[in-house]
Amino acid sequence: MWTFRSGHLFLGFRMPDTSRPPILLLTGTNAAAWTMKPVCAAFEAAGYPCHSLTYRYHDLPSGPDRDAKLVGVSIADFVEDARQEIERVGARPIVVGHSLGGVVAQLFAGEGAVRAGVLLNSSIVNGVLPTTDGERELGKLFISAGALWDQTPQKDLALRNAYGLNTLPEALQRDIHARLDSESGRVLFEFVFWMYDVNRTTRVDPGKVTCPLLFVSGTEDKAVATSTARVMADRYATAEVLAVDGACHYVQFDRQWPATASKALEWLSGKL
């Protein structure tokens, strides 16, 4: 049985069924594989073999060395990290991505490299604009940081609680925030300000996406609103949206997660 340090209960565990396709778990920004433990527990309990990825330098402790290495790192580097993991796994996987991991999942879907994708509060990709004033306010905060692409923004508890952890108990908010760390400003620039990214790093050709995608969206997510998730899903002929009433951006830590995971697994079993 998985347990989180604040007492948040994860689902039970059983040995994976090797007849099921593998699942690659992709984290959001500032994070490492530990943020996908509730997801791993749920899908492994259903028999799926899971592989969790920590992007380059995200296993380093806080400090100048980590920050220096993260400067200039791109989403394209995270895609390459994930591609190497897929090669190591040796089979075309299902991808379950949280936040930025949802962007990487969409990029792979556009390449035909994955069987299906479950996107947990996916960040936006090239061509998708925010639909709420709250999301636009968050963008303005990033603008105020200056040359974001040359920086390594540090974590901010008040900001994360307002936009990402807003429905969670205070102790759990502090626990999660304490384990998150700095991130490449270029990564943030590439998806928040995709319209200014000359490399078009997050561009996905919707016509090339043929695998099923499930956009899971917490209705209390202040970073990527459910209305924005619907706009993103509408780009793809094979996509559906699962709205999770009352859940925040870190939906996998919300109290609704066991029920949400069950619905995602039911959707997935109907698509494979």
Side-chain angles (χ1 to χ4, degrees):
M1 181 76 73
W2 292 102
T3 54
F4 190 66
R5 286 189 295 124
S6 285
H8 191 76
L9 190 64
F10 294 153
L11 301 180
F13 171 83
R14 67 181 175 89
M15 291 300 292
D17 180 353
T18 55
S19 68
R20 291 187 181 272
I23 288 181
L24 178 61
L25 303 173
L26 299 175
T27 75
T29 61
N30 307 85
W34 64 268
T35 56
M36 300 301 280
K37 272 190 175 182
V39 184
C40 182
F43 282 81
E44 284 193 337
Y48 290 94
C50 291
H51 305 266
S52 295
L53 176 66
T54 294
Y55 305 125
R56 64 186 66 187
Y57 310 135
H58 284 66
D59 56 345
L60 296 177
S62 299
D65 183 54
R66 174 190 172 102
D67 293 347
K69 284 182 166 62
L70 282 172
V71 171
V73 169
S74 167
I75 291 173
D77 295 315
F78 296 169
V79 170
E80 182 57 30
D81 293 342
R83 195 184 309 281
Q84 290 180 14
E85 184 65 13
I86 290 172
E87 291 175 358
R88 190 190 69 78
V89 170
R92 195 161 62 107
I94 299 160
V95 176
V96 181
H98 172 241
S99 193
L100 173 66
V103 173
V104 178
Q106 290 175 70
L107 291 167
F108 278 122
E111 296 179 5
V114 296
R115 294 171 183 256
V118 177
L119 317 180
L120 308 176
N121 289 320
S122 176
S123 300
I124 59 174
V125 296
N126 184 298
V128 178
L129 293 169
T131 59
T132 66
D133 288 343
E135 292 167 291
R136 287 184 277 271
E137 286 297 324
L138 180 58
K140 287 166 64 177
L141 289 173
F142 284 125
I143 290 173
S144 69
L148 190 63
W149 51 91
D150 286 333
Q151 300 178 29
T152 308
Q154 302 299 306
K155 57 187 182 179
D156 182 316
L157 177 60
L159 183 66
R160 193 169 303 281
N161 283 354
Y163 282 93
L165 307 172
N166 46 298
T167 64
L168 303 182
E170 183 178 351
L172 186 54
Q173 289 177 337
R174 292 188 176 278
D175 237 354
I176 294 172
H177 177 76
R179 299 184 68 183
L180 297 172
D181 216 315
S182 57
E183 183 55 86
S184 163
R186 179 176 174 182
V187 163
L188 300 172
F189 170 78
E190 286 172 338
F191 71 83
V192 176
F193 302 114
W194 55 261
M195 64 290 294
Y196 301 118
D197 176 19
V198 296
N199 296 317
R200 305 175 78 186
T201 310
T202 66
R203 183 180 181 275
V204 181
D205 182 347
K208 292 183 178 179
V209 175
T210 58
C211 69
L213 298 176
L214 180 65
F215 284 78
V216 179
S217 176
T219 62
E220 292 302 315
D221 182 356
K222 304 304 181 184
V224 187
T226 299
S227 52
T228 304
R230 293 190 187 280
V231 169
M232 196 153 35
D234 284 347
R235 291 160 48 88
Y236 309 114
T238 56
E240 299 174 49
V241 176
L242 171 61
V244 183
D245 190 45
C248 67
H249 188 68
Y250 279 79
V251 62
Q252 68 269 39
F253 291 107
D254 238 314
R255 58 181 174 78
Q256 303 95 324
W257 173 246
T260 302
S262 294
K263 291 176 182 177
L265 285 162
E266 182 180 1
W267 174 88
L268 189 58
S269 66
K271 299 297 180 180
L272 298 179

